[in-house]
Amino acid sequence: MANKYSDNAFTGLEAAIVLIAFVVVAAVFSYVVLGAGFFTTQKAQTTVHTGVAQASSSLEVVGNVYGIAADANAASLDYLNVTVALTAGGTAMDLSQMVISYNDGTTRWTNLTNNTPLTDCTGIISTPTHNAKWCIAQKINAGDDDMLDPNEQFMLAIAMPTTAKINTQFTINMQPAVGAVLPITRTIPGSITKVQALY
């Protein structure tokens, strides 16, 4: 007489197949979870490294920002003198790759051109033309190249538009090839002299 439970029971082979199937599914699932975890970790690591590189390559303003006019009581500033250096621990920065923009609410220059070589300040310091230009007016503790290295300072001359008049607030953004943007916001005082510190 046949066993009445034989139709409902698993054989040892069937149980082994089910067990193997569960193990395979669990292995695939764990592989997917671990792979996603490794991918997330790599992305986080890349983000941290990029953030450190950005922070370590930033510029800072050294001293005051000076507005220069050809004559006392002129209608507008001709150019600015801004001295920049690397932040502490910063890596060398090629200033020939830097993008400078200007905005005062009336005039907006999105990309001031740099003269070639960068130390040629024609049209900015000598015979100002109020064109969208900038140059390196002076290098302090620096070599002949355009690389801003640690412990070096570059004085930049940045041309100003004719709208840079008294009581005008303006913002200059310096965007190096690698590193954070350095925004400089200043207000032109109520009277213009040949040289004035801007705050």
PDB file of all heavy atoms in Angstrom, residues 8 10 17 33 53 64-65 111 139 147 193 198:
ATOM      1  N   ASN A   8       2.946  14.702  -0.833  1.00  0.00           N
ATOM      2  CA  ASN A   8       3.160  16.009  -0.220  1.00  0.00           C
ATOM      3  C   ASN A   8       4.566  16.199   0.332  1.00  0.00           C
ATOM      4  O   ASN A   8       4.917  17.271   0.789  1.00  0.00           O
ATOM      5  CB  ASN A   8       2.158  16.224   0.917  1.00  0.00           C
ATOM      6  CG  ASN A   8       0.716  16.194   0.414  1.00  0.00           C
ATOM      7  OD1 ASN A   8       0.457  16.631  -0.685  1.00  0.00           O
ATOM      8  ND2 ASN A   8      -0.185  15.662   1.227  1.00  0.00           N
ATOM      9  N   PHE A  10       8.763  16.347   0.450  1.00  0.00           N
ATOM     10  CA  PHE A  10       9.924  16.670  -0.390  1.00  0.00           C
ATOM     11  C   PHE A  10      10.924  15.539  -0.293  1.00  0.00           C
ATOM     12  O   PHE A  10      11.133  14.983   0.791  1.00  0.00           O
ATOM     13  CB  PHE A  10      10.605  17.958   0.088  1.00  0.00           C
ATOM     14  CG  PHE A  10       9.871  19.189  -0.336  1.00  0.00           C
ATOM     15  CD1 PHE A  10       9.146  19.923   0.585  1.00  0.00           C
ATOM     16  CD2 PHE A  10       9.927  19.619  -1.647  1.00  0.00           C
ATOM     17  CE1 PHE A  10       8.475  21.054   0.209  1.00  0.00           C
ATOM     18  CE2 PHE A  10       9.268  20.766  -2.026  1.00  0.00           C
ATOM     19  CZ  PHE A  10       8.524  21.484  -1.111  1.00  0.00           C
ATOM     20  N   ILE A  17      17.848  21.211  -3.902  1.00  0.00           N
ATOM     21  CA  ILE A  17      17.663  22.188  -4.991  1.00  0.00           C
ATOM     22  C   ILE A  17      17.100  23.500  -4.450  1.00  0.00           C
ATOM     23  O   ILE A  17      17.563  24.595  -4.802  1.00  0.00           O
ATOM     24  CB  ILE A  17      16.750  21.588  -6.087  1.00  0.00           C
ATOM     25  CG1 ILE A  17      17.469  20.459  -6.813  1.00  0.00           C
ATOM     26  CG2 ILE A  17      16.313  22.664  -7.077  1.00  0.00           C
ATOM     27  CD1 ILE A  17      16.602  19.678  -7.784  1.00  0.00           C
ATOM     28  N   VAL A  33      24.147  44.473  -3.296  1.00  0.00           N
ATOM     29  CA  VAL A  33      24.204  45.421  -2.182  1.00  0.00           C
ATOM     30  C   VAL A  33      25.641  45.880  -1.937  1.00  0.00           C
ATOM     31  O   VAL A  33      25.916  47.070  -1.769  1.00  0.00           O
ATOM     32  CB  VAL A  33      23.599  44.795  -0.902  1.00  0.00           C
ATOM     33  CG1 VAL A  33      23.877  45.666   0.309  1.00  0.00           C
ATOM     34  CG2 VAL A  33      22.104  44.587  -1.086  1.00  0.00           C
ATOM     35  N   ALA A  53      40.823  69.443  -3.151  1.00  0.00           N
ATOM     36  CA  ALA A  53      41.564  70.109  -4.226  1.00  0.00           C
ATOM     37  C   ALA A  53      41.035  71.513  -4.468  1.00  0.00           C
ATOM     38  O   ALA A  53      41.796  72.457  -4.688  1.00  0.00           O
ATOM     39  CB  ALA A  53      41.473  69.280  -5.509  1.00  0.00           C
ATOM     40  N   ASN A  64      44.425  95.736   1.148  1.00  0.00           N
ATOM     41  CA  ASN A  64      43.250  96.459   0.669  1.00  0.00           C
ATOM     42  C   ASN A  64      43.098  96.357  -0.842  1.00  0.00           C
ATOM     43  O   ASN A  64      44.041  96.037  -1.562  1.00  0.00           O
ATOM     44  CB  ASN A  64      43.355  97.945   1.046  1.00  0.00           C
ATOM     45  CG  ASN A  64      43.188  98.177   2.540  1.00  0.00           C
ATOM     46  OD1 ASN A  64      42.424  97.468   3.192  1.00  0.00           O
ATOM     47  ND2 ASN A  64      43.900  99.150   3.070  1.00  0.00           N
ATOM     48  N   VAL A  65      41.892  96.669  -1.287  1.00  0.00           N
ATOM     49  CA  VAL A  65      41.614  96.843  -2.715  1.00  0.00           C
ATOM     50  C   VAL A  65      41.620  98.344  -2.976  1.00  0.00           C
ATOM     51  O   VAL A  65      40.913  99.102  -2.302  1.00  0.00           O
ATOM     52  CB  VAL A  65      40.248  96.229  -3.087  1.00  0.00           C
ATOM     53  CG1 VAL A  65      39.926  96.499  -4.549  1.00  0.00           C
ATOM     54  CG2 VAL A  65      40.239  94.735  -2.798  1.00  0.00           C
ATOM     55  N   ASN A 111      33.646  88.144 -18.900  1.00  0.00           N
ATOM     56  CA  ASN A 111      34.971  87.549 -19.068  1.00  0.00           C
ATOM     57  C   ASN A 111      35.948  88.618 -19.509  1.00  0.00           C
ATOM     58  O   ASN A 111      36.062  88.904 -20.695  1.00  0.00           O
ATOM     59  CB  ASN A 111      34.923  86.407 -20.082  1.00  0.00           C
ATOM     60  CG  ASN A 111      36.230  85.649 -20.166  1.00  0.00           C
ATOM     61  OD1 ASN A 111      37.188  85.951 -19.460  1.00  0.00           O
ATOM     62  ND2 ASN A 111      36.273  84.654 -21.023  1.00  0.00           N
ATOM     63  N   LYS A 139      54.735  91.605  -9.500  1.00  0.00           N
ATOM     64  CA  LYS A 139      54.934  90.297  -8.881  1.00  0.00           C
ATOM     65  C   LYS A 139      55.850  90.474  -7.679  1.00  0.00           C
ATOM     66  O   LYS A 139      56.889  91.107  -7.777  1.00  0.00           O
ATOM     67  CB  LYS A 139      55.557  89.321  -9.878  1.00  0.00           C
ATOM     68  CG  LYS A 139      54.671  89.018 -11.074  1.00  0.00           C
ATOM     69  CD  LYS A 139      55.342  88.051 -12.032  1.00  0.00           C
ATOM     70  CE  LYS A 139      54.450  87.751 -13.219  1.00  0.00           C
ATOM     71  NZ  LYS A 139      55.081  86.802 -14.162  1.00  0.00           N
ATOM     72  N   MET A 147      52.618  81.496 -13.010  1.00  0.00           N
ATOM     73  CA  MET A 147      52.183  80.578 -11.958  1.00  0.00           C
ATOM     74  C   MET A 147      52.288  81.275 -10.607  1.00  0.00           C
ATOM     75  O   MET A 147      53.350  81.764 -10.235  1.00  0.00           O
ATOM     76  CB  MET A 147      53.046  79.314 -11.955  1.00  0.00           C
ATOM     77  CG  MET A 147      52.878  78.445 -13.174  1.00  0.00           C
ATOM     78  SD  MET A 147      51.270  77.651 -13.270  1.00  0.00           S
ATOM     79  CE  MET A 147      51.353  76.528 -11.902  1.00  0.00           C
ATOM     80  N   THR A 193      39.343 110.213  -5.557  1.00  0.00           N
ATOM     81  CA  THR A 193      40.682 110.796  -5.609  1.00  0.00           C
ATOM     82  C   THR A 193      41.535 109.915  -6.517  1.00  0.00           C
ATOM     83  O   THR A 193      41.045 108.920  -7.081  1.00  0.00           O
ATOM     84  CB  THR A 193      41.301 110.876  -4.219  1.00  0.00           C
ATOM     85  OG1 THR A 193      41.352 109.559  -3.651  1.00  0.00           O
ATOM     86  CG2 THR A 193      40.438 111.760  -3.294  1.00  0.00           C
ATOM     87  N   LEU A 198      39.128 100.861  -1.084  1.00  0.00           N
ATOM     88  CA  LEU A 198      37.689 100.593  -1.226  1.00  0.00           C
ATOM     89  C   LEU A 198      37.269  99.567  -0.186  1.00  0.00           C
ATOM     90  O   LEU A 198      37.957  98.587   0.070  1.00  0.00           O
ATOM     91  CB  LEU A 198      37.397 100.051  -2.636  1.00  0.00           C
ATOM     92  CG  LEU A 198      37.833 100.966  -3.788  1.00  0.00           C
ATOM     93  CD1 LEU A 198      37.504 100.300  -5.115  1.00  0.00           C
ATOM     94  CD2 LEU A 198      37.148 102.326  -3.697  1.00  0.00           C
TER      95      LEU A 198
END
